[in-house]
Amino acid sequence: MLYRAFRCLLISVALSATAYAQPADPVELVNTLMGTDSKPSLSNGNTYPAIALPWGMNFWMPQTGKMGSGWAYTYAADKIRGFKQTHQPSPWMNDYGQFSLMPVTGKLRIDEDERASWYSHKAEVAKPYYYSVYLADHDVTTEIAPTERAASFRFTFPKTDSAYVLIDAFDKGSYVKVLPRERKIIGYTTKNSGGVPANFKNYFVIYFDKPFVTAQTWHGKTIARDTLELQAAHAGAAVQFKTGKGEVVHARVASSFISFEQAERNLEEIGNATFDGVKQKAKAAWNTELNRIRVEGGTPEQIRTFYSCLYRSLLFPRKFYELDANRKVVHYSPYNGQVLPGYMFTDTGFWDTFRSLFPFLNLMYPTLNAQMQEGLANAYKEGGWLPEWASPGLRNVMIGSNSASVIADAYLKGGRNYDINALYEAVLKNSENEGPMDAVGRRGAQYYNRLGYVPYDVKINENAARTLEYAYDDFAIYQLAKALKRPAAEIERFAKRSQNYRNLFDKETGLMRGKNADGSFQKPFNPFKWGDAFTEGNSWHYTWSVFHDVQGLIDLMGGREKFVAKLDSVFTLPPVYDESYYRSVIHEIREMQIANMGQYAHGNQPIQHMIYLYNYAGTPWKAQYWLREVMNRLYLPTPDGYCGDEDNGQTSAWYVFTAMGFYPVCPATDQYVLGAPLFKKVTATLENGRQLVINAPNNSDQNRYVNTMQLNRKPYAKNWLSHTELLKGAVIDFTMSATPNTQRGTTPDAFPYSMSTEGK
């Protein structure tokens, strides 16, 4: 009996060690379905299971939604209509260059509703490098394994004379041609959601490993039996096979934004590899990147959440370049329609991703981010403006000129070997001009530069949010101008403009408030009103958007005690709202309301840095408490695992940084602001080969507070870490506690950078 009890104890310890151990194969911990249980009225991520390589040009996905729907895969759906090549960054931006393959059996059905098949998540395997699902209505299993610009398909059919694979090139202008002797289909799609030149096409080539019994083309819902080549508003093709029970048909697919010839070159990414060979290579590629950050000593749920978020942090911005016949980097320009040399990346909105996604790339992938900067310089040279939201070219959505932050942060953190002078010219142009659309350049630039703010009463929406973001962007330009040794007057101009946030601070309410052109504040003022003077948020969210001068904001609020009380109020206020500007309750409002964290709206970006601001006011333990609450309550490795739009890696990168124990509150500075680590140990291998090791051996759900801290075995009392120092390699040791240390980090010499205290 004693032996049996001892043996059970050993088994229990072993299981516990396995659950908390450093993962050997982190890609297997990723749940690509995290965030897919979403809909327009409520976002739990608004993601789809991207079958892709890191930053791949082409992603693939099972398509449950109708053609043209941004909600192309939703967890609650019952049927799959096809397997789509996608370039969609979010459902709100929708897709471009998409086409699909779909196996069917029995009667040939081309209509997307008629061909759709019931499926179950119980018969679905969704991984970054591999997808498999059983299509019940056709008795077919479909499998996909990706490369950056191509994919391998494996269809397992039943015994039938009527096995088909449909190619749907989608509507809005498409072309297909079947070449039976070569067991090949070529085609193109022009379908897009904007942001493309007139000559935009995505050219595709598909090869099968089995001869066709018959081949047909179709348009709309009509089969064209007399031609194997068809150009139409909505073109497609169908090829037929005779199969035995369990017979496998393979397809190799690649595409190009340049030409059919380039699509053939891109297919060389597969070459002669088997399906399993492509799958294993894709798996290895993901493990290489995910293993750059190794975590241990968390619950299985926390570890799965971490790697699922890390996966999302490695998808966007996607590569929009290809390798020509000489293996030179070239790209089709979504700005002028020409094929040109050099890098191009796309599918990111800087309003979201300047905050933590791009700083994450600067820390972990500086060479890649330098290529992205070259792509930005190319975008400016080809289109005349910096893209604030690119998909694939200029899109008219969101506010700010946050490209300044992305450009400045990359250069200041060591990015080189690209045309920084062109990029600086571009940010200067942005700072003085409105662009060809509201979301390019600076809407209200002349007002901002003359008055120091964008007025509320001049018919420019979201004016207060624009003012606050322009002021921060001017700080980023100020920092970059100093680094580039620009003229003193120019540097001073941006230093002065960076203080424009002060013009919107209302002493009466202690909040940011829209201001009229005559200098009076907007009336009436409801700090709970979403939109209007602000962007997808209210004054309680945007008041904290003074990333570069938190001490200045503290002074405006009357000192640290009042500032901390204001921060506390965000969590203690009820989740009330005024939706009148939108005339309905937008999903971001609903996500704040149901989170049960007061006015804290983590599901949208403007407030995501706010908790870290406790560090600037001498109460870092409050940041430690609330950061753990957000990670525990608002992130799960489940289909409803996010608390709002994931947004191209931003909300995921927030989790990755926060779980490591620090966060880039103010990009374009050298500092990360401290929180508290989630795991007992994190080992990050930097691009230069050095390691950042974060130890917190007594970390637990109860021990969430930092009691003491050492940096490289020496006591460390500051509330921030230096990027420059971390790049040298570092060991950070935390001693965690169940009770807050209210003495550590309480004096100004411990506080992070603020412009108001620069040089003091």
Side-chain angles (χ1 to χ4, degrees):
M1 190 71 167
L2 182 62
Y3 169 76
R4 186 177 299 172
F6 181 67
R7 185 169 178 270
C8 289
L9 177 63
L10 287 177
I11 292 172
S12 175
V13 170
L15 289 173
S16 177
T18 300
Y20 286 79
Q22 182 170 307
D25 209 7
V27 73
E28 300 300 342
L29 300 171
V30 172
N31 183 5
T32 66
L33 301 180
M34 180 175 170
T36 59
D37 188 9
S38 299
K39 53 190 175 183
S41 60
L42 184 67
S43 174
N44 288 310
N46 264 332
T47 63
Y48 56 86
I51 310 150
L53 261 60
W55 307 287
M57 187 178 87
N58 300 325
F59 296 177
W60 289 87
M61 66 185 300
Q63 180 192 344
T64 64
K66 288 182 177 289
M67 177 176 61
S69 170
W71 282 263
Y73 179 97
T74 53
Y75 190 81
D78 300 314
K79 293 185 176 182
I80 287 175
R81 291 179 163 83
F83 299 92
K84 185 172 80 158
Q85 187 190 98
T86 179
H87 306 94
Q88 178 169 299
S90 82
W92 308 106
M93 302 302 292
N94 215 306
D95 210 345
Y96 63 90
Q98 62 266 51
F99 63 94
S100 72
L101 284 71
M102 179 65 179
V104 299
T105 56
K107 180 183 176 182
L108 177 59
R109 288 155 284 178
I110 58 176
D111 177 77
E112 66 174 350
D113 292 330
E114 294 176 1
R115 74 191 187 217
S117 171
W118 282 82
Y119 82 106
S120 168
H121 296 298
K122 300 178 185 67
E124 178 186 41
V125 178
K127 298 180 181 296
Y129 65 90
Y130 170 73
Y131 182 84
S132 173
V133 70
Y134 176 67
L135 301 174
D137 289 285
H138 304 300
D139 194 19
V140 175
T141 296
T142 297
E143 300 168 272
I144 309 171
T147 73
E148 286 188 342
R149 299 170 185 85
S152 184
F153 278 74
R154 184 161 66 187
F155 303 107
T156 303
F157 283 100
K159 177 179 174 59
T160 178
D161 293 337
S162 303
Y164 296 91
V165 176
L166 274 67
I167 289 81
D168 190 339
F170 285 25
D171 61 2
K172 309 300 183 184
S174 48
Y175 165 83
V176 291
K177 182 178 181 179
V178 184
L179 300 129
R181 289 185 181 180
E182 299 177 60
R183 294 181 286 197
K184 174 182 176 182
I185 300 171
I186 66 171
Y188 65 71
T189 175
T190 67
K191 191 171 179 64
N192 67 84
S193 304
V196 299
N199 67 346
F200 169 80
K201 291 183 176 69
N202 186 25
Y203 302 88
F204 58 82
V205 295
I206 307 170
Y207 285 89
F208 293 89
D209 68 345
K210 185 177 175 67
F212 309 150
V213 175
T214 64
Q216 297 156 90
T217 59
W218 50 273
H219 56 92
K221 297 184 180 182
T222 304
I223 296 174
R225 300 183 184 278
D226 57 344
T227 180
L228 294 181
E229 183 176 15
L230 187 67
Q231 183 177 4
H234 181 187
V239 292
Q240 181 183 1
F241 306 98
K242 180 179 179 180
T243 56
K245 180 177 174 59
E247 184 172 350
V248 171
V249 176
H250 292 91
R252 296 178 299 128
V253 188
S255 71
S256 167
F257 296 107
I258 296 173
S259 66
F260 286 120
E261 293 77 16
Q262 184 61 46
E264 295 275 3
R265 283 188 205 103
N266 293 344
L267 194 60
E268 293 172 9
E269 292 180 353
I270 294 177
N272 296 320
T274 64
F275 179 90
D276 286 330
V278 174
K279 175 183 172 183
Q280 290 305 313
K281 190 174 181 181
K283 179 179 180 179
W286 273 109
N287 271 333
T288 295
E289 305 307 340
L290 296 173
N291 269 317
R292 292 279 302 275
I293 305 178
R294 309 272 286 173
V295 301
E296 52 190 303
T299 67
E301 184 177 78
Q302 288 168 338
I303 292 174
R304 287 197 301 270
T305 302
F306 181 86
Y307 283 106
S308 298
C309 286
L310 185 55
Y311 152 77
R312 291 276 167 203
S313 302
L314 303 178
L315 291 173
F316 297 101
R318 78 170 74 249
K319 296 174 180 177
F320 199 75
Y321 65 84
E322 306 174 49
L323 302 177
D324 69 10
N326 298 313
R327 306 299 292 172
K328 299 292 186 182
V329 173
V330 296
H331 65 273
Y332 166 82
S333 173
Y335 302 98
N336 63 19
Q338 299 176 33
V339 178
L340 296 165
Y343 289 103
M344 182 63 65
F345 292 79
T346 192
D347 292 327
T348 189
F350 295 150
W351 184 84
D352 303 291
T353 54
F354 87 85
R355 303 165 195 269
S356 66
L357 189 276
F358 276 94
F360 176 74
L361 296 175
N362 282 325
L363 177 64
M364 297 301 299
Y365 296 95
T367 298
L368 176 70
N369 203 31
Q371 294 171 358
M372 293 175 181
Q373 300 307 306
E374 180 185 323
L376 267 182
N378 288 333
Y380 171 64
K381 293 171 183 177
E382 295 160 21
W385 296 90
L386 288 166
E388 300 300 327
W389 230 118
S391 182
L394 300 177
R395 297 290 293 275
N396 196 26
V397 63
M398 305 314 292
I399 67 156
S401 56
N402 302 123
S403 52
S405 175
V406 172
I407 290 164
D409 195 49
Y411 188 80
L412 293 165
K413 288 178 178 167
R416 295 297 185 270
N417 301 318
Y418 53 88
D419 194 346
I420 187 60
N421 292 320
L423 289 173
Y424 187 77
E425 175 187 300
V427 298
L428 284 184
K429 182 178 180 180
N430 268 10
S431 73
E432 300 296 330
N433 297 281
E434 294 191 343
M437 53 184 72
D438 285 356
V440 174
R442 289 187 179 181
R443 181 90 196 277
Q446 303 310 315
Y447 289 108
Y448 174 83
N449 292 345
R450 178 166 54 87
L451 299 175
Y453 59 95
V454 181
Y456 179 81
D457 58 348
V458 295
K459 298 183 178 179
I460 297 177
N461 63 349
E462 302 165 63
N463 38 81
R466 294 180 194 275
T467 298
L468 294 168
E469 295 196 20
Y470 295 167
Y472 163 68
D473 295 328
D474 284 337
F475 167 79
I477 300 172
Y478 158 72
Q479 293 283 78
L480 182 57
K482 287 193 296 181
L484 295 176
K485 297 180 170 55
R486 299 292 297 182
E490 187 171 291
I491 294 171
E492 178 57 29
R493 180 166 84 244
F494 290 105
K496 182 179 178 182
R497 286 181 184 173
S498 73
Q499 297 297 301
N500 282 341
Y501 71 89
R502 297 174 180 273
N503 296 326
L504 295 190
F505 185 77
D506 172 27
K507 291 183 179 179
E508 180 183 340
T509 61
L511 296 168
M512 296 295 177
R513 182 173 176 178
K515 182 178 279 189
N516 296 319
D518 65 3
S520 62
F521 282 112
Q522 68 170 103
K523 291 181 181 179
F525 173 60
N526 181 353
F528 302 108
K529 185 177 184 179
W530 282 61
D532 196 18
F534 299 99
T535 301
E536 295 181 2
N538 61 35
S539 182
W540 278 103
H541 307 145
Y542 252 99
T543 289
W544 315 106
S545 293
V546 188
F547 313 93
H548 57 294
D549 197 12
V550 179
Q551 184 59 51
L553 183 60
I554 291 171
D555 294 340
L556 288 174
M557 288 189 176
R560 281 186 247 157
E561 188 175 334
K562 290 183 178 180
F563 181 80
V564 169
K566 208 76 169 179
L567 288 170
D568 292 343
S569 296
V570 171
F571 298 107
T572 58
L573 285 166
V576 297
Y577 56 86
D578 174 355
E579 81 285 13
S580 59
Y581 175 78
Y582 296 110
R583 299 181 182 177
S584 65
V585 177
I586 62 173
H587 75 93
E588 291 91 347
I589 295 176
R590 190 67 72 211
E591 288 140 20
M592 178 197 76
Q593 182 194 25
I594 65 176
N596 191 26
M597 294 186 79
Q599 286 291 314
Y600 185 72
H602 188 81
N604 213 19
Q605 280 66 41
I607 206 169
Q608 286 182 352
H609 69 293
M610 168 235 145
I611 295 174
Y612 284 93
L613 301 191
Y614 282 111
N615 283 281
Y616 296 74
T619 54
W621 60 90
K622 293 196 173 191
Q624 295 155 21
Y625 173 82
W626 284 112
L627 291 169
R628 185 68 67 91
E629 287 295 294
V630 172
M631 286 190 286
N632 284 350
R633 292 160 60 176
L634 302 185
Y635 288 83
L636 291 168
T638 57
D640 63 345
Y642 291 102
C643 56
D645 287 349
E646 194 282 323
D647 282 329
N648 308 109
Q650 165 57 31
T651 301
S652 292
W654 184 96
Y655 186 93
V656 171
F657 266 125
T658 300
M660 292 172 71
F662 55 91
Y663 184 80
V665 167
C666 186
T669 67
D670 183 63
Q671 294 183 0
Y672 302 99
V673 180
L674 283 170
L678 180 63
F679 299 100
K680 294 181 185 296
K681 186 174 184 180
V682 178
T683 306
T685 302
L686 305 175
E687 189 175 272
N688 60 17
R690 296 185 174 98
Q691 287 192 329
L692 170 60
V693 181
I694 301 162
N695 296 308
N698 64 333
N699 209 346
S700 68
D701 190 46
Q702 292 74 32
N703 294 348
R704 65 174 62 181
Y705 297 105
V706 176
N707 188 38
T708 62
M709 178 180 171
Q710 290 187 335
L711 176 62
N712 296 327
R713 309 307 184 198
K714 295 179 181 178
Y716 191 77
K718 298 186 185 302
N719 294 344
W720 54 273
L721 294 165
S722 163
H723 173 83
T724 303
E725 291 302 310
L726 293 187
L727 287 187
K728 296 175 183 177
V731 177
I732 304 171
D733 293 292
F734 290 94
T735 303
M736 306 298 289
S737 172
T739 56
N741 181 343
T742 59
Q743 303 305 310
R744 188 191 177 281
T746 60
T747 55
D749 59 346
F751 299 168
Y753 171 89
S754 284
M755 194 175 179
S756 289
T757 59
E758 190 173 29
K760 295 180 181 179

